[in-house]
Amino acid sequence: MNLTDLGEFGLISRIRKLSRHRTSSATVGIGDDAAALKFAAARDVLATTDLLIQDVHFDLSCTDYYSLGWKSAAVNLSDIAAMGAVPRFCLTALGIPRTTRVEQVLEFYRGFEEQLRRAKTELVGGDTCASPKALFISVTILGQARRSEIVTRSGARPGDLIFVTGSLGDSAAGLDILKQGMHLRPAAATDASRVERLVEKHLRPEPRTSEGRMIALTGCASAMIDLSDGLSSDLGHICEESRTGAVIEADRIPLSPALTALSARLGADALEYALSGGEDYELLFTVPPRKLRRLEGLGLPVTRIGVVTRGRRVLLKDSEGRTSALPAAGYNHFAEEGRLRGHRQTAL
Ligand code: ADP
Ligand code: MG
């Protein structure tokens, strides 16, 4: 069906039906001039918003609408997770080209809703406009936490140990697979499942909602961030805000078997993907040594990759113990070449 046949209000009412499967925790949800939301007493409200623009953040020739919806919700949920908070409510504003089919918008919302459902988060409003060319997606999520539970980027101290959840670099490799068309022609059956894993990690990232919350509840982390721009950039943000430096051990960086097996065929180094590739949506956090027991008690899939230092530099230590500077190499929207892939390692 064409969007012009259904119209703005017809579309909103379809979106509303799609998202009405949960018992509502909002006093007023979709359908009025504004939503009215109930937050628990003695909690801070956490607010985060992200803008996703066609051909900047996503390419419709590489993603389906369900995955796009999934990822649009996941990246925001990941920001709330990185604060150690509980996501509660969500708003979406869409600028949709007139040529988009109604079914495609609804597929987007199905993927979106699946992520919200898992995070027990309710869609309570938004805005819908026609866009002349590109698809625009703006997502806002509101969460809550006790003030004492909130984990910021600025609390890291020299001597704190640096951890990441999961493994790094898969998403960036998945994007290269999509761009090179390798998912269409994997050589062997084992490769096919590896290709699928990396592509899935790119198109449908899993935000670490429960892990972020558990880390916050135990109070073991001094600082935390989600890995959206890439390890080198995001660790740089923690160091910047905390006024510290860091040393990362290359050998300790967790790489998935799929990434290790396929990176050579992609013409890149697995470690390079892990250091500078973005969009893993894993959590990077620092733990004071005296609180290590608390973290271990959680039994989370985490790896210690380095230590926070007093000097303000971010360094990478190789297997022979040599260190080199680890400059931020993630995505910078206003840099001349956009993506600054491939960080230079300047020997010290
Ligand atoms: P207004 O004219 O006051 O902005 P709208 O007609 O744009 O109201 O929206 C009507 C209702 O539908 C509001 O509750 C709004 O939050 C909701 N809404 C509009 N677009 C979306 C969307 N894309 N997703 C979810 N809710 C939406
Ligand atoms: Mg409106």
Side-chain angles (χ1 to χ4, degrees):
M1 190 193 290
N2 290 323
L3 278 172
T4 35
D5 296 336
L6 188 61
E8 178 190 339
F9 300 107
L11 180 64
I12 294 173
S13 101
R14 296 281 181 96
I15 293 170
R16 187 176 179 176
K17 276 200 199 102
L18 257 178
S19 60
R20 213 169 21 194
H21 51 80
R22 263 159 292 137
T23 49
S24 177
S25 55
T27 313
V28 180
I30 294 177
D32 220 307
D33 294 314
L37 311 174
K38 212 181 305 168
F39 284 89
R43 303 289 194 284
D44 279 8
V45 175
L46 290 103
T48 181
T49 193
D50 265 301
L51 182 59
L52 291 101
I53 301 175
Q54 184 178 353
D55 296 333
V56 176
H57 300 94
F58 59 91
D59 180 342
L60 285 174
S61 64
C62 289
T63 184
D64 57 285
Y65 280 84
Y66 184 95
S67 298
L68 184 59
W70 171 294
K71 188 162 175 173
S72 303
V75 302
N76 273 264
L77 289 167
S78 178
D79 281 323
I80 295 286
M83 300 298 289
V86 180
R88 294 287 312 277
F89 302 107
C90 177
L91 297 117
T92 54
L94 303 183
I96 314 172
R98 285 196 173 77
T99 48
T100 310
R101 313 270 309 161
V102 170
E103 292 76 14
Q104 293 171 321
V105 181
L106 297 180
E107 255 320 270
F108 172 93
Y109 270 101
R110 281 187 200 104
F112 195 87
E113 270 300 318
E114 177 56 24
Q115 270 297 304
L116 292 193
R117 188 186 63 74
R118 293 182 186 192
K120 300 190 174 68
T121 301
E122 188 182 353
L123 183 65
V124 293
D127 200 21
T128 311
C129 299
S131 164
K133 267 209 177 118
L135 175 60
F136 284 75
I137 304 160
S138 165
V139 180
T140 299
I141 293 193
L142 302 174
Q144 66 180 34
R146 285 179 201 279
R147 191 160 303 168
S148 60
E149 293 161 356
I150 295 170
V151 190
T152 64
R153 298 176 178 184
S154 60
R157 295 293 171 261
D160 289 358
L161 304 168
I162 303 171
F163 286 84
V164 285
T165 58
S167 62
L168 306 186
D170 288 0
S171 175
L175 176 61
D176 278 353
I177 287 172
L178 288 167
K179 283 202 272 189
Q180 294 181 19
M182 196 165 125
H183 58 301
L184 306 172
R185 46 173 172 78
T190 45
D191 271 1
S193 73
R194 287 172 180 147
V195 162
E196 201 177 313
R197 193 200 132 97
L198 299 183
V199 167
E200 175 128 341
K201 197 91 207 245
H202 180 73
L203 294 179
R204 298 192 191 177
E206 288 286 357
R208 295 285 187 178
T209 304
S210 63
E211 291 86 347
R213 185 64 186 150
M214 285 162 78
I215 289 166
L217 282 174
T218 52
C220 61
S222 50
M224 185 150 65
I225 190 170
D226 67 320
L227 291 172
S228 55
D229 294 338
L231 177 63
S232 59
S233 275
D234 292 320
L235 177 59
H237 294 319
I238 285 196
C239 289
E240 188 74 28
E241 295 298 319
S242 300
R243 299 172 170 278
T244 62
V247 179
I248 294 298
E249 291 176 53
D251 286 351
R252 286 185 171 272
I253 293 177
L255 306 172
S256 72
L259 178 65
T260 318
L262 289 181
S263 58
R265 275 181 60 200
L266 287 163
D269 187 24
L271 184 63
E272 192 65 36
Y273 277 123
L275 293 172
S276 358
E279 301 197 290
D280 281 316
Y281 299 104
E282 296 293 348
L283 295 174
L284 171 70
F285 58 101
T286 57
V287 178
R290 68 193 152 80
K291 294 186 174 171
L292 205 51
R293 279 267 168 80
R294 296 192 204 172
L295 173 67
E296 287 165 356
L298 294 175
L300 296 176
V302 297
T303 310
R304 178 163 63 83
I305 59 166
V307 66
V308 178
T309 57
R310 199 171 300 277
R312 296 289 296 273
R313 307 179 68 186
V314 181
L315 303 173
L316 181 69
K317 193 193 272 185
D318 69 18
S319 47
E320 270 105 58
R322 287 182 305 231
T323 54
S324 57
L326 180 63
Y331 194 91
N332 176 342
H333 282 273
F334 296 104
E336 286 202 23
E337 291 172 30
R339 180 168 274 280
L340 303 171
R341 280 297 294 280
H343 75 279
R344 282 182 311 265
Q345 288 187 34
T346 356
L348 286 180

mmCIF file of all heavy atoms in Angstrom, residues 158-162 245-249 305-309:
data_model
loop_
_atom_site.group_PDB
_atom_site.id
_atom_site.type_symbol
_atom_site.label_atom_id
_atom_site.label_comp_id
_atom_site.label_asym_id
_atom_site.label_seq_id
_atom_site.Cartn_x
_atom_site.Cartn_y
_atom_site.Cartn_z
ATOM 1 N N PRO A 158 43.157 6.291 38.072
ATOM 2 C CA PRO A 158 44.365 5.506 37.786
ATOM 3 C C PRO A 158 44.376 4.223 38.618
ATOM 4 O O PRO A 158 44.067 4.265 39.813
ATOM 5 C CB PRO A 158 45.498 6.448 38.191
ATOM 6 C CG PRO A 158 44.922 7.816 38.018
ATOM 7 C CD PRO A 158 43.475 7.693 38.396
ATOM 8 N N GLY A 159 44.710 3.114 37.968
ATOM 9 C CA GLY A 159 44.739 1.825 38.654
ATOM 10 C C GLY A 159 43.474 1.009 38.434
ATOM 11 O O GLY A 159 43.463 -0.216 38.645
ATOM 12 N N ASP A 160 42.392 1.650 38.007
ATOM 13 C CA ASP A 160 41.163 0.895 37.719
ATOM 14 C C ASP A 160 41.402 -0.031 36.526
ATOM 15 O O ASP A 160 42.134 0.323 35.595
ATOM 16 C CB ASP A 160 40.000 1.843 37.370
ATOM 17 C CG ASP A 160 39.493 2.624 38.577
ATOM 18 O OD1 ASP A 160 40.020 2.398 39.694
ATOM 19 O OD2 ASP A 160 38.578 3.453 38.401
ATOM 20 N N LEU A 161 40.764 -1.187 36.558
ATOM 21 C CA LEU A 161 40.928 -2.155 35.465
ATOM 22 C C LEU A 161 39.851 -1.912 34.415
ATOM 23 O O LEU A 161 38.718 -1.539 34.749
ATOM 24 C CB LEU A 161 40.827 -3.575 36.030
ATOM 25 C CG LEU A 161 41.846 -3.822 37.157
ATOM 26 C CD1 LEU A 161 41.524 -5.127 37.889
ATOM 27 C CD2 LEU A 161 43.261 -3.840 36.599
ATOM 28 N N ILE A 162 40.223 -2.105 33.152
ATOM 29 C CA ILE A 162 39.304 -1.822 32.042
ATOM 30 C C ILE A 162 38.733 -3.127 31.496
ATOM 31 O O ILE A 162 39.486 -4.063 31.187
ATOM 32 C CB ILE A 162 40.036 -1.055 30.914
ATOM 33 C CG1 ILE A 162 40.644 0.239 31.473
ATOM 34 C CG2 ILE A 162 39.095 -0.757 29.756
ATOM 35 C CD1 ILE A 162 41.571 0.948 30.496
ATOM 36 N N GLY A 245 44.579 8.526 31.523
ATOM 37 C CA GLY A 245 45.000 7.831 30.320
ATOM 38 C C GLY A 245 44.652 6.363 30.480
ATOM 39 O O GLY A 245 43.920 5.995 31.413
ATOM 40 N N ALA A 246 45.154 5.524 29.566
ATOM 41 C CA ALA A 246 44.878 4.090 29.655
ATOM 42 C C ALA A 246 45.925 3.326 28.856
ATOM 43 O O ALA A 246 46.500 3.847 27.910
ATOM 44 C CB ALA A 246 43.490 3.789 29.109
ATOM 45 N N VAL A 247 46.165 2.084 29.277
ATOM 46 C CA VAL A 247 46.980 1.169 28.467
ATOM 47 C C VAL A 247 46.122 -0.059 28.181
ATOM 48 O O VAL A 247 45.573 -0.677 29.090
ATOM 49 C CB VAL A 247 48.267 0.727 29.204
ATOM 50 C CG1 VAL A 247 49.065 -0.236 28.316
ATOM 51 C CG2 VAL A 247 49.119 1.931 29.564
ATOM 52 N N ILE A 248 45.992 -0.365 26.884
ATOM 53 C CA ILE A 248 45.213 -1.524 26.450
ATOM 54 C C ILE A 248 46.195 -2.593 25.975
ATOM 55 O O ILE A 248 47.151 -2.281 25.272
ATOM 56 C CB ILE A 248 44.275 -1.115 25.278
ATOM 57 C CG1 ILE A 248 43.230 -0.122 25.744
ATOM 58 C CG2 ILE A 248 43.631 -2.323 24.637
ATOM 59 C CD1 ILE A 248 42.316 -0.648 26.809
ATOM 60 N N GLU A 249 45.954 -3.848 26.343
ATOM 61 C CA GLU A 249 46.826 -4.933 25.888
ATOM 62 C C GLU A 249 46.211 -5.600 24.667
ATOM 63 O O GLU A 249 45.133 -6.195 24.760
ATOM 64 C CB GLU A 249 47.022 -5.939 27.009
ATOM 65 C CG GLU A 249 47.847 -5.373 28.160
ATOM 66 C CD GLU A 249 47.960 -6.345 29.307
ATOM 67 O OE1 GLU A 249 48.365 -7.499 29.070
ATOM 68 O OE2 GLU A 249 47.611 -5.955 30.437
ATOM 69 N N ILE A 305 40.844 -5.870 29.584
ATOM 70 C CA ILE A 305 41.702 -5.550 28.434
ATOM 71 C C ILE A 305 42.792 -4.524 28.757
ATOM 72 O O ILE A 305 43.645 -4.267 27.920
ATOM 73 C CB ILE A 305 40.871 -5.028 27.225
ATOM 74 C CG1 ILE A 305 40.079 -3.764 27.603
ATOM 75 C CG2 ILE A 305 39.937 -6.123 26.702
ATOM 76 C CD1 ILE A 305 39.518 -3.028 26.384
ATOM 77 N N GLY A 306 42.766 -3.951 29.943
ATOM 78 C CA GLY A 306 43.814 -2.965 30.231
ATOM 79 C C GLY A 306 43.612 -2.283 31.565
ATOM 80 O O GLY A 306 42.838 -2.745 32.409
ATOM 81 N N VAL A 307 44.307 -1.163 31.724
ATOM 82 C CA VAL A 307 44.288 -0.455 33.004
ATOM 83 C C VAL A 307 44.263 1.058 32.770
ATOM 84 O O VAL A 307 44.797 1.543 31.771
ATOM 85 C CB VAL A 307 45.514 -0.906 33.865
ATOM 86 C CG1 VAL A 307 46.826 -0.455 33.223
ATOM 87 C CG2 VAL A 307 45.416 -0.393 35.294
ATOM 88 N N VAL A 308 43.629 1.761 33.676
ATOM 89 C CA VAL A 308 43.576 3.230 33.622
ATOM 90 C C VAL A 308 44.881 3.768 34.206
ATOM 91 O O VAL A 308 45.379 3.251 35.205
ATOM 92 C CB VAL A 308 42.362 3.759 34.427
ATOM 93 C CG1 VAL A 308 42.325 5.291 34.428
ATOM 94 C CG2 VAL A 308 41.064 3.187 33.873
ATOM 95 N N THR A 309 45.438 4.788 33.566
ATOM 96 C CA THR A 309 46.729 5.333 34.019
ATOM 97 C C THR A 309 46.619 6.827 34.351
ATOM 98 O O THR A 309 45.647 7.490 33.980
ATOM 99 C CB THR A 309 47.799 5.165 32.921
ATOM 100 O OG1 THR A 309 47.332 5.819 31.730
ATOM 101 C CG2 THR A 309 48.070 3.703 32.627
#
